[in-house]
Amino acid sequence: MMLIPDAEHDELRLSERPLIVCDIDEVVLEFITPFEAFLTHRGHELRATSFRLHGNVYSRTDGSKTPDDDVSQLLETFFESHDDWQTPVVEAADSLGRLSARADIIFLTAMPPRHRDVRRRLLSRHGFDYPMIATESPKGPAVLALHGDRPHPVVFIDDIFVNLQSVRTHVPQTLLVNLMANETFRALAPHPGDGVDIATDWAHAETLIKTHIGAPPD
Ligand SMILES: [Mg+2]
């Protein structure tokens, strides 16, 4: 049923219930904090001066700015072994566990599909046993491919403005929830745009989602 370009994914089978499509980095797994630790381990540091990684990484040896190509390579190396570094976001597993009683949950991660197996194992180790799609394609068309014209409520959770607005364009009835674990970068993030609810943490996100899908607050 679902055709998502350039994606690798688990078996995707939706029930006749609401659908929650959930990002991973900075939403269910810490990303910035462990990437900072990884950079330190590699002799670099991340200086949080703007909402980006490239251009904000510096050598700890001589203070020089780390070239963009080197930052890209550091990210690639990080993702090759990210199961050694990334940890769950507080409350994410418990909130999703409660929501999964009321809705289907699918992870949609904007990572190169070649890292999918490592991520799958890491998620399952922490109790995130929901199907995952890994793709670098835009998220709006992916959510549309998943949900189509089904009449059920649909929710999308992500930390990135572009992803939220992509879903807003392609599946406009979606409840859009902006959630970002790292407080330093959250403070630097651009406003997620019109039509997006900003959640301060998972408890807040869970309340917004339950209201939207008509679930009791527990
Ligand atoms: Mg993310």
Side-chain angles (χ1 to χ4, degrees), residues 23 25-26 158-160:
D23 179 36
D25 288 309
E26 281 299 315
D158 204 290
D159 57 316
I160 302 293

Side-chain angles (χ1 to χ4, degrees), residues 18-124:
L19 172 63
I20 299 170
V21 181
C22 186
D23 179 36
I24 293 179
D25 288 309
E26 281 299 315
V27 176
V28 299
L29 293 178
E30 298 274 356
F31 169 74
I32 296 286
T33 304
F35 187 59
E36 283 181 314
F38 170 84
L39 288 174
T40 300
H41 179 72
R42 293 275 173 148
H44 299 265
E45 65 177 319
L46 181 64
R47 296 181 192 167
T49 53
S50 62
F51 191 70
R52 60 201 302 271
L53 299 174
H54 292 86
N56 284 334
V57 178
Y58 291 81
S59 164
R60 294 175 74 89
T61 313
D62 60 11
S64 64
K65 188 177 280 197
T66 305
D68 284 357
D69 284 352
D70 293 5
V71 174
S72 296
Q73 186 54 51
L74 285 161
L75 270 168
E76 174 68 17
T77 306
F78 175 77
F79 278 124
E80 283 170 3
S81 63
H82 68 273
D83 53 333
D84 290 336
W85 296 93
Q86 288 190 268
T87 53
V89 170
V90 171
E91 288 294 327
D94 289 347
S95 274
L96 286 174
R98 287 186 289 270
L99 290 166
S100 70
R102 307 271 172 189
D104 292 334
I105 294 168
I106 292 186
F107 288 131
L108 178 58
T109 187
M111 104 180 322
R114 62 182 171 276
H115 301 306
R116 181 182 172 285
D117 289 347
V118 172
R119 175 146 288 188
R120 177 71 271 168
R121 285 196 299 275
L122 173 60
L123 289 170
S124 297

Side-chain angles (χ1 to χ4, degrees), residues 167-203:
V167 173
R168 185 170 186 242
T169 299
H170 289 86
V171 192
Q173 72 273 30
T174 306
L175 173 72
L176 301 168
V177 179
N178 179 230
L179 185 59
M180 181 165 200
N182 186 277
E183 288 183 22
T184 306
F185 270 75
R186 194 199 309 159
L188 292 167
H191 190 277
D194 291 342
V196 177
D197 283 302
I198 301 173
T200 50
D201 55 19
W202 263 103

